[in-house]
Amino acid sequence: MSEKRKDYISWDEYFMGVATLAGMRSKDPNTQVGACIVSTDNKILSMGYNGLPVGCSDDEFPWRRKDADGNELETKYPYTVHSELNAILNYRGGSLEGARLYVTLFPCNECAKAVIQSGIRTVIYGDDKYRDSPNNIASMRMFNAAGVRYYRYQPTGRKIEIDL
């Protein structure tokens, strides 16, 4: 009898990999964020990435961060749905109570509200490039108050190549 493989990827590697792959669907030229929601028994419940709402053409809305004239309506911000909210809204199975969220960028305060309200209990995030921003501080404050556990994913350095 042969022994099982020992070099398989961990659950954290698997789900953060799925979130990363989901983020690659984003049309945003600057920031591609992906999210993967997982049940307590390690089943993928939903995924999402940052992009426009269904029915809004990727070619008709702006993708820029700033407008030369300062017109916020000519930037991506009023129109883009974040990956975490997309993953929550994409779920069609009922309650997300107790689920885990893997996301490639720490959730903003608006997504933190949705995470808390949906019943997700743990957030595993990749990058935290806005760590000291008021939005992220507000997210952490709400997560702490609501008992949502959060921690940064620890990259393993493993390289995985996929031929598509």
Side-chain angles (χ1 to χ4, degrees), residues 6 10 42-43 46-47 52 108 143:
K6 291 186 174 39
S10 70
N42 295 318
K43 304 288 187 288
S46 186
M47 295 180 292
L52 297 175
C108 74
F143 284 158

Side-chain angles (χ1 to χ4, degrees), residues 36-73:
C36 178
I37 301 174
V38 180
S39 69
T40 56
D41 60 345
N42 295 318
K43 304 288 187 288
I44 294 175
L45 301 174
S46 186
M47 295 180 292
Y49 56 89
N50 58 314
L52 297 175
V54 173
C56 296
S57 171
D58 295 328
D59 297 321
E60 294 176 16
F61 285 84
W63 287 106
R64 67 184 69 82
R65 289 179 167 176
K66 292 183 180 180
D67 179 62
D69 297 327
N71 183 353
E72 188 176 345
L73 291 176

Side-chain angles (χ1 to χ4, degrees), residues 73-130:
L73 291 176
E74 292 303 320
T75 71
K76 65 182 179 176
Y77 298 110
Y79 310 108
T80 304
V81 181
H82 288 180
S83 66
E84 305 92 308
L85 186 56
N86 263 328
I88 290 167
L89 295 172
N90 287 340
Y91 184 59
R92 301 284 190 247
S95 175
L96 291 172
E97 194 66 42
R100 297 188 316 273
L101 170 70
Y102 288 81
V103 62
T104 59
L105 183 64
F106 189 82
C108 74
N109 63 311
E110 292 299 320
C111 288
K113 295 173 197 176
V115 166
I116 292 165
Q117 290 297 88
S118 71
I120 292 170
R121 304 304 299 158
T122 305
V123 175
I124 302 94
Y125 62 93
D127 195 6
D128 193 11
K129 67 181 178 179
Y130 303 113

